[in-house]
Amino acid sequence: MKRILVFLTIWVLGQALLPKTADAYPLTEAQEERLRRFIPRSFAKLQNREPVHILVLGDSISTMYSPDDANGNWHLAYHREFAFQLSREFFYPGEVRLINPPKGLPEKKNDLLGDEILLENRAIAGRCAIDALQRVYTDAFVNDPDLVMIEYGINDAMTELTLDTYAAALNSTIDECQRYGLDVIVLGPNMVKQAPGPTEWGLVRSHASVAREVARQQDVLFVDLGEALARVEGVSAGRDPQEAIEEVGKKMEWIFDYGSSVTAEERIHPNRKAHEMMGQVIFEQLMNGEPPYPYGIVAKASFKDESTMETTVTVKNTSDVVRKGYLGALAVRRCLTPVNPYQSFELKPGQSTSFEISYLHRGRSEDRGNLDYFPLEPADSRIRFPFILADEKQSCVLTATSPVLPVGVIWQTGLDMTVTDKIRLTWRFVNPGKEPVEGTYRISLGDSNAGGRFSIEPGGDRKFFAEFNFRPEPGMVRQRMPVDLNVETAGRKFDFNRDMEVTKDLVLGEVVALSQFEEYVNEGVGRQEVAPGKPGVTLRADVDEKWMYYIFDFHNVDLVSSPDSSSIIADINIDARDSAECRQFGFVDKIRVATNAEDGPGRVDNPQMAVFGNSYNYQISADGIACVMQTMTDGNRRLSVRIPRAYFYRHSWVTDPAAGLNGIMGLNVNLSLLSVDAEGVSSYPPDKRFTLAASDLYLRDPRGFITLRLSRTPVETWSARLY
C-alpha cells in the first residue's frame, strides 16, 4: 500500500510539472501554420492537452492484417504509431487508448496513466473507397471524432475500379467529414507488387496519384505511404540499368519481409516495421511537410498505333549536386507494360534529360470476364506513369501524369434509365497539344456502327454523340455489349474501348431468369426464361401491405447438402433510397440469406448499416427477415425471402403512404450453389453462380443494379450504363 501511495504521489507531482499547453514545447512558426491549416480542430485540443479522438477508415492495411503473430494487433499498426507520436509531441503521458479494440486485445499497449489520445478503428478488410460512405453516413461519427484518417486504394486497384469512382468516393467521404467540422488526412496506398519483376510495382500508383489530386483540391493533408516506403538505399553508378533497378526492387521487398517463420509470399500487406515507419512518416509530414525529392519528372504520351503508346519521359536534377543514376518505368496498372523500361543518366544540377519509352497496352481480352481489357479511363483522358528513380544515395518512386496525344477521349458515363428504342453514346475529343488535330472516327455498339470527322483546336475539346437503334431480341432482358471508338489521324490509328450493360426494367410480379455468371459475362446476353431442360433459377419480386417478397424458383437444379456448408447463398442488393438518389452513385450493401437443401427455414446474416443505401443510418434486425426453402408440387424447389416494408423507412412507401405503389428501387442478386467434389471438399464454383446484372462496377455500387419499378404494369423501358 505504501508503494502505491508513493507511486501516486510521484505521478501527481509529475503531472503538475508537465506544461498545461503545448505552447511550452517549442513548435516552429511553419509547424504551427501547418497544424492550424490541416488539423485545426485537433490542434486546438492538443495545445490544451484535451482528449483528441482519431478515427480510421480503411481496408486490411488499417486492420493490421499480417501473416505472422502481429495479425490484428492494432497496437502495431501505422495509425497507433502516428497517435503515439502525437502523444509524445504534445505531452500526453497516458499515450494512446483504443476505444474499440478487437476481442482479446487490450485497450492500451502500455499501461500508463495520464492524458491520452483516443483511437477508433472502423476499417474493414477487403473494402474499397466507396465503402467509406457506409461509415460516414451511419456510425463513423457517433463518438465525436476530431481527426479522420482515410486509407483506401489497394482493393480499388486490384479489382480495376475506375479512377473517377475512386475520386468520387474520396470526395464524398471528405465532404461528409468536413460537414461535421472534422480534420482529415488522406493516405495514398502502400506499395504493392502485383507480379515478379521490378516493373510490376506500379499497380496502385495511379490511385495514389488520384488521392493526391483529391487531397490537393480539398486542401487536406495527403501522405503517400507508397512513396515513403519506396525510399530505400541507392545503388552504385556505372552498372547495367536493368540490374540496378532490379536491385532496387529487391531492396523494396523489405516491406514484405516477415522472416523465416512465414513461408507464403506476401506482396500486399506491410510488416510491422513498415507500419511503424508509415506512422512516423505521417506524423513527420504533418509537422514538416513532404521532404523534397532531388528529381522532377514529366511525361508526354502519344499513341503510335492500336497497341503501342510512346512516351517521352524527362528527368530533371533539382538538387545542387551531380547525380548519376537510373530510371525504371513501372507498369501502369494492368493496362500498359513498358517495353524498354530501364535507362541510366548523369545530370548536373538543374540539368534535364529525356528518354523515349514505349508501352504495350493489353487491349480487349477475348475473355470478357478478364478485367485486363481496360486500356484507358472512361472519364479521364490522362495517364499516370509511375517510375523508380535511383542514384548512389537513394531510391524513390515518382508518378508523372500526362494527357494523351494527339487526341484523348472523355466518355459520358452517367446512367440512362429511359432507354426504349434508342441508345445514345456521348463523348468529348480532347486535344492537349499545341497544334490543331483533325481526323476520322468510327464508333460501334455491338454490331451497329456510326462515324464521322472531327477537328479540335489546340488545347480544346468538342462534344460528339452517336445514336443507335436498340432492338433487343425477343425474350432478352440483359445484354453486355462492346463499345469501340476507332480514331484515325495523321496516318495513325488507335482505339478507345469500353463496355456497356443494358438491362430491362423489372416490375412487381414479373418472373425473370437469372443468368449463369460466366456464360453471361462471356456471351453477353441474358434471357427472360430458363432454357427448356437446362438448370436455372428465376426471380420474382412482389409486395403486399406489410412485406416485400423475393421468390427464387430452381428449375432442373440438383441442390447439394453438406453438414458444414449452406446449399444456397443468396446476396440481395436493394437500393431503397429516394427515387432521385436511387441507382445513382452511393453505397448499398446486401441482405445475405443461406439455406440447406432440405425444406425448412434458412439463415439471415445480420444486415450491415446502410444496407438499403447510404441514407439508412439505423441498424435493422435480421429477426424481422424470413427465408424458407420448400418443395413445390411440380418437384422443383423454391426459396422465399420476406422483408418488412417498414425496413425501407426512407422510401416513399413509408414516408408517404397515401402515394401507394410508386417510384423505383435498384436491385441486384448474386446466388451461389454449393458443390462438393469426390474428396468431400465444398466450394461455390463460378459455373454455379447466378446473377441479375454484372456490369463490372463495384458490387456495392448501385449504378450497376437493375431498376425495379414499383408497379404491376409491364414496361418496355431499359437502363444503360457505359463502364
Side-chain angles (χ1 to χ4, degrees):
M1 184 67 178
K2 184 181 293 184
R3 282 186 291 180
I4 295 175
L5 290 173
V6 170
F7 170 79
L8 288 174
T9 301
I10 294 173
W11 179 80
V12 170
L13 290 173
Q15 290 286 297
L17 293 173
L18 284 173
K20 293 302 180 185
T21 71
D23 293 337
Y25 190 84
L27 295 172
T28 67
E29 184 176 339
Q31 287 175 332
E32 283 204 26
E33 182 179 349
R34 287 186 60 81
L35 293 169
R36 295 185 193 280
R37 174 186 175 188
F38 289 119
I39 59 166
R41 173 173 171 146
S42 303
F43 183 47
K45 292 186 175 183
L46 289 167
Q47 286 181 302
N48 296 307
R49 287 220 317 275
E50 298 173 8
V52 173
H53 184 141
I54 300 173
L55 171 68
V56 180
L57 302 175
D59 51 34
S60 58
I61 306 303
S62 295
T63 64
M64 189 61 194
Y65 172 80
S66 176
D68 62 6
D69 59 3
N71 185 42
N73 188 344
W74 297 353
H75 290 302
L76 302 177
Y78 74 88
H79 39 72
R80 196 274 176 191
E81 177 64 25
F82 167 72
F84 171 67
Q85 295 295 330
L86 278 181
S87 73
R88 292 182 59 189
E89 178 71 24
F90 292 96
F91 299 101
Y92 284 74
E95 296 184 352
V96 181
R97 179 183 297 276
L98 307 178
I99 72 168
N100 64 329
K103 185 177 180 180
L105 189 69
E107 292 182 348
K108 302 189 68 169
K109 182 178 181 180
N110 301 311
D111 194 16
L112 300 174
L113 300 176
D115 299 319
E116 301 166 332
I117 303 288
L118 303 178
L119 181 61
E120 180 180 5
N121 190 355
R122 292 291 177 183
I124 303 176
R127 293 303 182 98
C128 298
I130 202 170
D131 292 299
L133 303 183
Q134 176 192 28
R135 291 302 193 186
V136 297
Y137 284 106
T138 58
D139 61 352
F141 308 144
V142 295
N143 293 314
D144 195 24
D146 302 297
L147 168 63
V148 182
M149 305 178 77
I150 303 171
E151 176 273 315
Y152 293 99
I154 292 177
N155 295 304
D156 301 77
M158 295 185 71
T159 54
E160 286 291 348
L161 299 184
T162 60
L163 296 178
D164 63 315
T165 295
Y166 180 64
L170 290 180
N171 274 309
S172 295
T173 302
I174 295 169
D175 288 344
E176 194 65 10
C177 291
Q178 293 182 334
R179 190 168 74 89
Y180 282 83
L182 309 182
D183 304 328
V184 176
I185 297 177
V186 174
L187 303 174
N190 59 264
M191 297 297 292
V192 168
K193 189 176 182 183
Q194 70 186 84
T199 68
E200 298 301 323
W201 287 91
L203 177 63
V204 302
R205 302 317 302 154
S206 293
H207 286 76
S209 175
V210 168
R212 181 186 292 274
E213 293 168 11
V214 169
R216 183 185 300 117
Q217 294 163 2
Q218 294 270 16
D219 195 27
V220 300
L221 180 66
F222 174 76
V223 179
D224 192 333
L225 301 180
E227 285 188 4
L229 294 176
R231 289 188 177 228
V232 296
E233 295 177 352
V235 291
S236 58
R239 300 176 57 179
D240 175 76
Q242 180 171 346
E243 291 181 359
I245 295 299
E246 286 178 347
E247 182 177 332
V248 173
K250 291 178 181 177
K251 290 182 177 183
M252 287 166 56
E253 290 180 359
W254 77 270
I255 304 167
F256 309 124
D257 183 5
Y258 284 91
S260 58
S261 62
V262 177
T263 56
E265 187 172 11
E266 176 61 63
R267 295 177 175 175
I268 297 174
H269 300 94
N271 57 33
R272 66 184 72 184
K273 183 178 179 182
H275 269 271
E276 182 179 14
M277 178 181 176
M278 290 191 296
Q280 293 170 358
V281 165
I282 298 167
F283 173 76
E284 177 63 27
Q285 292 193 20
L286 169 64
M287 299 294 291
N288 301 308
E290 189 173 8
Y293 289 94
Y295 299 103
I297 188 166
V298 295
K300 185 178 180 181
S302 62
F303 285 107
K304 179 181 179 182
D305 51 41
E306 295 95 331
S307 61
T308 307
M309 184 168 288
E310 294 181 332
T311 306
T312 301
V313 181
T314 302
V315 179
K316 182 178 181 178
N317 178 3
T318 58
S319 72
D320 56 2
V321 298
V322 174
R323 299 222 170 235
K324 301 178 181 179
Y326 312 91
L327 177 141
L330 303 180
V332 181
R333 300 172 68 183
R334 293 192 176 107
C335 312
L336 299 173
T337 303
V339 177
N340 54 327
Y342 308 108
Q343 309 290 336
S344 61
F345 58 82
E346 180 175 347
L347 295 173
K348 298 177 181 178
Q351 186 180 9
S352 300
T353 188
S354 296
F355 306 100
E356 300 298 324
I357 297 178
S358 297
Y359 292 82
L360 291 178
H361 78 67
R362 303 177 188 182
R364 186 189 297 280
S365 170
E366 293 182 4
D367 176 7
R368 300 292 299 283
N370 188 337
L371 293 174
D372 291 353
Y373 72 82
F374 286 105
L376 291 170
E377 283 290 304
D380 191 341
S381 62
R382 300 170 296 169
I383 299 180
R384 295 158 176 82
F385 294 93
F387 302 92
I388 292 176
L389 285 161
D391 56 34
E392 295 173 292
K393 295 183 178 180
Q394 69 174 30
S395 303
C396 60
V397 171
L398 297 177
T399 301
T401 300
S402 171
V404 180
L405 296 170
V407 64
V409 168
I410 298 177
W411 293 94
Q412 182 173 304
T413 58
L415 178 68
D416 184 354
M417 298 172 60
T418 62
V419 173
T420 54
D421 59 350
K422 294 186 183 297
I423 295 177
R424 172 177 286 202
L425 297 175
T426 304
W427 70 96
R428 304 187 77 87
F429 280 127
V430 180
N431 175 11
K434 298 180 180 179
E435 301 293 333
V437 175
E438 61 180 27
T440 61
Y441 69 88
R442 188 164 187 82
I443 186 167
S444 64
L445 174 64
D447 297 328
S448 301
N449 298 279
R453 299 191 61 83
F454 67 90
S455 177
I456 315 295
E457 293 300 312
D461 65 87
R462 282 187 61 193
K463 183 178 180 179
F464 289 77
F465 71 89
E467 199 166 67
F468 298 91
N469 291 327
F470 177 61
R471 298 187 180 92
E473 300 174 19
M476 188 185 79
V477 293
R478 65 188 70 91
Q479 184 175 10
R480 288 164 56 110
M481 296 180 285
V483 177
D484 297 326
L485 177 58
N486 314 118
V487 175
E488 183 172 358
T489 179
R492 288 185 286 177
K493 298 180 180 180
F494 36 90
D495 302 328
F496 300 88
N497 301 329
R498 306 309 311 173
D499 267 11
M500 171 172 279
E501 184 175 47
V502 187
T503 57
K504 185 176 181 294
D505 296 352
L506 188 65
V507 298
L508 296 171
E510 183 178 5
V511 177
V512 61
L514 304 183
S515 290
Q516 195 277 330
F517 182 79
E518 283 189 332
E519 181 179 287
Y520 174 51
V521 168
N522 290 318
E523 296 181 6
V525 175
R527 303 198 177 277
Q528 180 98 32
E529 300 178 353
V530 175
K534 289 191 65 175
V537 184
T538 60
L539 166 68
R540 173 169 57 89
D542 218 328
V543 66
D544 63 22
E545 292 182 356
K546 294 184 178 181
W547 306 97
M548 185 84 190
Y549 300 92
Y550 299 91
I551 311 298
F552 300 91
D553 286 309
F554 298 83
H555 303 269
N556 306 310
V557 174
D558 293 325
L559 299 176
V560 178
S561 296
S562 169
D564 304 318
S565 304
S566 299
S567 301
I568 303 169
I569 297 176
D571 290 336
I572 308 172
N573 300 88
I574 306 167
D575 183 357
R577 295 176 295 171
D578 181 85
S579 293
E581 300 175 84
C582 186
R583 294 204 61 200
Q584 303 303 313
F585 177 75
F587 173 94
V588 175
D589 209 349
K590 63 181 179 293
I591 295 289
R592 168 165 285 187
V593 301
T595 182
N596 296 326
E598 297 76 24
D599 287 359
R603 185 190 76 249
V604 181
D605 287 0
N606 287 323
Q608 298 294 306
M609 299 279 277
V611 64
F612 300 131
N614 42 259
S615 58
Y616 282 78
N617 56 1
Y618 293 136
Q619 183 72 57
I620 67 172
S621 172
D623 294 340
I625 302 172
C627 67
V628 177
M629 191 72 185
Q630 61 187 124
T631 302
M632 308 307 292
T633 55
D634 60 1
N636 284 323
R637 314 300 302 286
R638 171 175 289 179
L639 173 63
S640 301
V641 181
R642 187 180 70 179
I643 303 173
R645 278 179 59 164
Y647 279 8
F648 305 109
Y649 57 85
R650 298 279 300 181
H651 200 275
S652 58
W653 280 354
V654 176
T655 60
D656 185 14
L661 288 178
N662 67 89
I664 63 173
M665 285 184 170
L667 178 64
N668 199 14
V669 170
N670 283 284
L671 188 144
S672 300
L673 304 181
L674 176 67
S675 179
V676 180
D677 64 18
E679 284 73 37
V681 177
S682 298
S683 65
Y684 298 91
D687 64 343
K688 288 197 171 186
R689 178 184 168 192
F690 296 84
T691 189
L692 190 59
S695 69
D696 286 348
L697 293 174
Y698 186 45
L699 74 164
R700 297 181 181 90
D701 186 341
R703 296 175 298 177
F705 299 176
I706 75 157
T707 298
L708 172 63
R709 296 195 176 274
L710 303 179
S711 167
R712 300 191 187 281
T713 304
V715 296
E716 291 297 329
T717 54
W718 298 66
S719 297
R721 175 156 183 87
L722 186 81
Y723 59 91

